[in-house]
Amino acid sequence: MHSFHYRDGSLHCEDVDLSLLASEHETPLYVYSAATIRDHFRRLSSTLSGLDHHIAYAVKANSNLSILKLLAGEGAGFDIVSGGELFRVLHAGGTADGCTFAGVGKTRAEIEYALAEGIYCFNAESEAELRFIDRVAGELGKVAPVALRVNPNVDARTHKYISTGKSDNKFGVDFDDIEGIYSRAGKELQNIKLRGLQMHIGSQLTSVQPFVEAVEKVTPLAARLKDEHDIEFFSIGGGIGIIYEDALASGSNDWWDGKSGEEKPLSLEQYAAAIVPVLKPLGLKILLEPGRMIVGNAGVLLSRVLYKKQGGAKVFAVVDAGMGDLIRPALYQGHHDITPVSQSGGKSETVDVVGPICESGDFFAQDRELPILEEGDLIALLSAGAYGFVMASNYNSRPFPAEVLIEGSKARLIRRRQDFNDLIAGEEL
Ligand code: LLP
């Protein structure tokens, strides 16, 4: 379900007219729907109601404090990958004991911070890291709860930059080595408690098959670790894909869970039907770490057309957002639907939609058939709620955009637009 639809020819988020919102807050502007985020969280949780499960939202997907607060209110835990993300979660009203701490390169300062706050578990990604966590915990007189991330060597069949579960990726511990590490850790490391097992094979998976392969391969390992080391959870990671193409086409409110355009993303029902029967007999708590699935289709980036330009070979619509605001097209050839905020019903043309940044990779669409865009027109880049703002940069000294959260007819500024002073804050002459 999503909450972006045309009403009287103007794109709305829930009950708010996005053209009015853009006039008030200017562009580029991120807009999120609270109803969509809640709906996605609740649907995932209810399809897994047959399992003893816990959803640890992957903070990296969208870490705005108001969104973390909203999800904490829904009962979410949090999957964090840095001290900064833990700080955000605590600031937003989340609790440390609901946090798992992932990532291949945790620093001493981050480990000390997480131990002091009392996180639920570190997900360690190597024996070296496990031993370091043990050492730091020992120095602080604490016991660190840990899980190891297993690399199941399963092909997630997604973009190579977001595939993480193959043996040539930097993530996790080789499947064949992992039991040896658990047993050495159990014998030799006094300052850790082996609490679980974790895996994550990649992001934006649009087929259920790789999940099934990975879960079937790793579940027997989890069972053995439960018997031998009394672990209490198995985290199956995140990765559930969303629809990026033809996102508004159905005109209905059913965007994420059904077929649309070329993409046939997995449905939650399929996902649950495939994995619950394998996981349930384990008798372990099952953790999930979804990011994109919760927030991806809950956000859009609004931008205004600055100029139309007829190049030697192409027509360009130059807009006021750039790759510094939304880098997915430049980095992953990610597709984001583009739709005019005011429907004209007129003709269409083939254009490149490009940003103002001095890079040829600064585009949102190439050779795309779109309704004719004129200077001053407002467009929405859809499905920008995940890995959008969080990946923004100040490249070309462009301030970060503002973010607004919609709830019904209420629009709340949840992050103000940066100004030039923000750009130089912290620098010295
Ligand atoms: N758990 C772990 C350990 C992860 O590394 C990730 C994502 C997640 C959970 C959440 O995955 P999700 O449910 O959102 O697929 N910037 C890229 C995506 C990077 C994903 C990194 N890890 C993009 O824009 O497509």
Side-chain angles (χ1 to χ4, degrees):
M1 172 273 205
H2 70 90
S3 304
F4 295 89
H5 45 260
Y6 285 101
R7 202 179 280 169
D8 302 324
S10 187
L11 190 65
H12 283 60
C13 173
E14 302 190 23
D15 296 323
V16 172
D17 185 334
L18 295 183
S19 55
L20 299 179
L21 196 71
S23 304
E24 186 182 344
H25 294 285
E26 304 189 340
T27 51
L29 181 70
Y30 274 98
V31 184
Y32 309 115
S33 157
T36 307
I37 297 172
R38 285 200 185 95
D39 175 70
H40 288 175
F41 181 86
R42 289 175 190 175
R43 282 171 67 173
L44 179 61
S45 192
S46 74
T47 30
L48 296 170
S49 56
L51 272 183
D52 175 14
H53 73 277
H54 180 64
I55 299 178
Y57 166 69
V59 172
K60 63 171 80 69
N62 187 322
S63 59
N64 184 288
L65 292 180
S66 292
I67 287 178
L68 299 181
K69 183 173 174 203
L70 186 161
L71 285 166
E74 290 293 309
F78 297 95
D79 184 57
I80 57 171
V81 289
S82 68
E85 286 191 351
L86 176 56
F87 181 76
R88 282 186 172 276
V89 166
L90 298 177
H91 213 75
T95 54
D97 62 5
C99 287
T100 48
F101 192 162
V104 296
K106 301 171 196 74
T107 63
R108 172 183 282 272
E110 288 177 321
I111 295 166
E112 287 177 353
Y113 178 35
L115 281 170
E117 294 295 342
I119 61 160
Y120 175 65
C121 199
F122 290 94
N123 293 337
E125 303 233 10
S126 62
E127 185 164 3
E129 189 195 12
L130 190 64
R131 289 184 180 274
F132 187 61
I133 293 171
D134 176 74
R135 204 168 92 205
V136 176
E139 286 167 17
L140 297 180
K142 299 210 176 243
V143 173
V146 293
L148 275 172
R149 174 171 177 174
V150 60
N151 183 326
N153 194 23
V154 167
D155 186 355
R157 284 162 242 162
T158 182
H159 190 280
K160 64 177 178 181
Y161 286 3
I162 52 177
S163 176
T164 53
K166 287 281 285 172
S167 53
D168 55 358
N169 297 128
K170 69 176 174 181
F171 297 100
V173 173
D174 197 79
F175 189 83
D176 296 329
D177 296 338
I178 198 139
E179 281 176 284
I181 300 181
Y182 272 89
S183 77
R184 283 195 290 283
K187 288 193 201 103
E188 297 167 23
L189 306 181
Q190 309 302 314
N191 310 303
I192 55 160
K193 172 183 164 38
L194 295 168
R195 181 164 262 179
L197 174 70
Q198 196 266 353
M199 71 172 180
H200 171 77
I201 57 171
S203 194
Q204 183 55 15
L205 273 68
T206 51
S207 138
V208 82
Q209 206 45 43
F211 286 119
V212 174
E213 254 175 69
V215 164
E216 284 180 347
K217 182 165 181 187
V218 178
T219 297
L221 168 68
R224 291 196 296 277
L225 294 173
K226 182 186 173 205
D227 289 347
E228 286 158 31
H229 300 284
D230 202 23
I231 62 168
E232 66 189 44
F233 77 86
F234 174 26
S235 171
I236 59 169
I240 300 173
I242 61 166
I243 288 182
Y244 280 100
E245 278 184 53
D246 254 353
L248 279 182
S250 69
S252 77
N253 253 8
D254 216 357
W255 172 343
W256 171 70
D257 217 13
K259 176 188 175 325
S260 180
E262 293 292 298
E263 290 172 300
K264 291 177 195 156
L266 54 107
S267 73
L268 282 187
E269 288 68 27
Q270 257 181 315
Y271 178 75
I275 63 167
V276 172
V278 188
L279 293 170
K280 200 174 165 72
L282 256 185
L284 286 174
K285 177 155 58 169
I286 302 300
L287 262 58
L288 295 103
E289 304 162 2
R292 191 188 318 259
M293 178 257 143
I294 306 281
V295 291
N297 283 335
V300 301
L301 174 61
L302 299 181
S303 180
R304 219 174 265 287
V305 179
L306 295 172
Y307 304 107
K308 278 298 275 300
K309 170 171 171 171
Q310 177 68 60
K314 287 182 164 201
V315 180
F316 296 97
V318 183
V319 300
D320 64 2
M323 65 191 279
D325 306 302
L326 177 64
I327 202 174
R328 299 196 69 265
L331 197 55
Y332 316 105
Q333 297 79 47
H335 173 97
H336 288 267
D337 272 0
I338 296 176
T339 192
V341 170
S342 298
Q343 280 177 316
S344 65
K347 293 201 184 100
S348 61
E349 66 180 343
T350 303
V351 287
D352 278 21
V353 179
V354 301
I357 290 175
C358 304
E359 298 265 350
S360 292
D362 181 28
F363 59 81
F364 293 120
Q366 289 182 308
D367 300 319
R368 193 161 320 161
E369 184 82 7
L370 288 176
I372 291 179
L373 296 171
E374 307 289 354
E375 290 176 15
D377 282 356
L378 192 61
I379 59 166
L381 293 141
L382 304 182
S383 315
Y387 308 110
F389 187 96
V390 283
M391 295 184 79
S393 84
N394 288 131
Y395 185 41
N396 281 197
S397 286
R398 293 165 40 81
F400 287 152
E403 296 175 286
V404 170
L405 181 64
I406 306 294
E407 291 203 68
S409 57
K410 281 202 301 245
R412 198 160 57 80
L413 185 67
I414 56 172
R415 180 175 178 127
R416 68 164 172 81
R417 184 176 303 285
Q418 276 190 329
D419 59 26
F420 289 165
N421 284 314
D422 294 317
L423 291 180
I424 57 169
E427 289 183 43
E428 290 190 29
L429 278 175

